[in-house]
């Protein structure tokens, strides 16, 4: 990416790789995750020096190791969820962010779910310690992270109210929630209060400005608003939340899924995948050289499933 702008700024360029240095490996990547933050980088809304290789998430096989590398060998399958430069068929990468994959978790599955599942885990364990008795409101339940979070929270016993951003995604939201509602429908706030008369225990807001007011009106006094996304912009302050004892919490996945938490989060994500709770979620696959089409689909909300690049 030589400049910021529309999807056309993403161009496939061939480049020779140097040998891995100390603490690095050479990785052939056959599956690369696509996330909303990638579009922000492309548009210049997220700082990254140009020229740049966007992307933060991929999975592949180690083909060469540098000096001093321990615990990883040629032929090992690994994945990562936050390391710049993921949009590549092959790359040199430090070993620090690499996660060794279990035999029953494919590279494609890892690249599709790792960042999004890690973000969902952050919401349920980092921003709020979800309990089986909780009633939760997921704003943006039709998106990738929202769909994963809804199903995961429901599987843990929580009552999940999912809000679909558009009518055509209502069935998808209903499949992963205890109750499903459409954004913009009349009296949606009253319908949420009919389900949770005192208000929900936690609001997972994956949208931002467009949905924040609904979250404020729906959360109980002393509850939590987990602000996990701002696709529609940053919300305006709501001073009344302080009086009501509502805690607004936010943060990025790398802040919460790091150190010992990485192994805990990924282990629980693999177990959730094995349990089948995400089996109804479709995957939308794009060939590596059609990355611009993938970004155009993300920009225009045409995704029908969890997106992944196949190299």
């Amino acid at each position: 990416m030589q400049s910021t702008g529309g999807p056309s700024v993403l161009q496939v360029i061939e480049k020779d790789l140097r040998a891995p240095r100390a603490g690095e490996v050479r990785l052939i990547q056959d599956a690369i995750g696509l996330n909303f933050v990638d579009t922000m980088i492309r548009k210049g809304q997220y700082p990254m020096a140009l020229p740049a290789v966007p992307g933060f998430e991929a999975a592949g096989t180690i083909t060469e190791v540098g000096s001093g590398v321990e615990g990883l060998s040629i032929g090992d399958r690994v994945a990562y969820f936050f390391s710049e430069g993921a949009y590549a068929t092959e790359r040199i990468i430090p070993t620090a962010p690499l996660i060794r994959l279990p035999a029953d978790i494919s590279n494609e599955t890892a690249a599709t779910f790792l960042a999004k599942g890690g973000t969902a885990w952050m919401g349920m364990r980092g921003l709020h310690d979800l309990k089986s008795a909780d009633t939760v409101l997921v704003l943006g339940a039709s998106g990738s992270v929202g769909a994963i979070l809804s199903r995961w929270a429901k599987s843990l016993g929580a009552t999940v109210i999912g809000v679909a951003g558009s009518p055509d995604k209502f069935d998808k939201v209903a499949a992963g929630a205890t109750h499903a509602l459409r954004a913009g429908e009349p009296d949606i706030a009253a319908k949420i209060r009919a389900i949770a008369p005192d208000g929900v225990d936690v609001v997972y807001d994956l949208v931002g400005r467009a949905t924040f007011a609904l979250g404020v009106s729906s959360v109980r006094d002393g509850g939590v608003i987990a602000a996990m996304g701002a696709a529609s912009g940053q919300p305006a302050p709501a001073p009344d939340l302080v009086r009501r004892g509502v805690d607004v919490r936010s943060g990025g996945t790398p802040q919460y899924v790091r150190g010992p938490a990485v192994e805990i989060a990924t282990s629980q994500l693999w177990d959730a995948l094995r349990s089948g709770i995400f089996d109804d979620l479709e995957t939308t696959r794009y060939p590596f050289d059609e990355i611009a089409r993938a970004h155009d689909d993300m920009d225009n909300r045409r995704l029908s499933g969890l997106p992944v690049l196949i190299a």
Side-chain angles (χ1 to χ4, degrees):
M1 190 174 80
Q2 304 290 334
S3 61
T4 58
S8 63
V9 303
L10 298 170
Q11 300 178 348
V12 178
I13 299 173
E14 293 189 7
K15 181 181 178 181
D16 292 331
L17 288 180
R18 60 172 174 78
R21 297 171 182 149
E24 297 177 332
V25 300
R26 185 168 181 151
L27 186 64
I28 289 181
Q29 303 188 148
D30 47 26
I32 300 149
L34 294 165
N35 296 286
F36 179 76
V37 68
D38 301 351
T39 67
M40 297 176 65
I41 287 172
R42 192 201 74 232
K43 296 173 184 177
Q45 298 169 346
Y46 186 105
M48 183 179 281
L50 296 173
V53 179
F56 292 95
E57 171 186 31
T61 303
I62 295 173
T63 59
E64 189 177 353
V65 298
S67 62
V69 171
E70 298 181 356
L72 292 171
S73 305
I74 293 173
D76 285 348
R77 292 187 309 111
V78 295
Y80 58 90
F81 70 92
F82 202 83
S83 180
E84 293 181 6
Y87 284 8
T89 58
E90 195 170 1
R91 70 174 297 185
I92 304 297
I93 186 171
T95 60
L98 299 180
I99 300 165
R100 190 195 297 269
L101 295 178
D104 61 338
I105 301 296
S106 71
N107 291 1
E108 180 180 316
T109 296
T112 303
F113 279 91
L114 190 54
K116 301 171 188 65
T119 302
W121 185 91
M122 172 192 73
M124 298 186 302
R125 292 292 175 248
L127 297 178
H128 172 75
D129 189 15
L130 186 74
K131 300 174 179 59
S132 60
D134 282 350
T135 298
V136 309
L137 174 64
V138 182
L139 301 173
S142 55
S144 296
V145 174
I148 292 171
L149 192 154
S150 296
R151 285 159 176 77
W152 205 345
K154 184 180 176 183
S155 76
L156 296 174
T159 298
V160 177
I161 306 169
V163 177
S166 57
D168 61 312
K169 295 183 178 180
F170 179 80
D171 289 345
K172 176 182 177 181
V173 171
T178 316
H179 308 275
L181 300 170
R182 295 178 180 86
E185 66 178 280
D187 301 323
I188 185 172
K191 291 177 180 179
I192 293 170
R193 284 286 180 165
I195 298 167
D198 295 328
V200 301
D201 297 292
V202 57
V203 176
Y204 292 111
D205 190 347
L206 295 139
V207 181
R209 182 181 301 164
T211 55
F212 191 70
L214 178 59
V216 170
S217 69
S218 301
V219 69
R220 66 170 173 82
D221 291 355
V224 171
I225 296 178
M228 299 174 61
S232 64
Q234 293 294 335
D240 188 54
L241 293 177
V242 175
R243 179 189 62 79
R244 295 175 54 202
V246 174
D247 196 358
V248 180
R249 302 170 184 171
S250 62
T253 309
Q255 294 175 253
Y256 288 90
V257 187
R258 61 177 182 166
V262 173
E263 183 175 353
I264 297 169
T266 54
S267 177
Q268 292 180 5
L269 175 61
W270 305 149
D271 285 345
L273 282 160
R274 292 178 183 117
S275 74
I277 62 174
F278 307 131
D279 283 356
D280 67 306
L281 294 178
E282 299 177 0
T283 299
T284 301
R285 300 172 180 84
Y286 295 90
F288 182 79
D289 60 0
E290 294 185 17
I291 178 61
R293 179 169 69 88
H295 269 242
D296 189 59
D297 286 349
M298 287 195 287
D299 281 353
N300 292 285
R301 303 181 66 181
R302 288 194 296 262
L303 290 177
S304 58
L306 307 180
V308 63
L309 282 177
I310 303 300

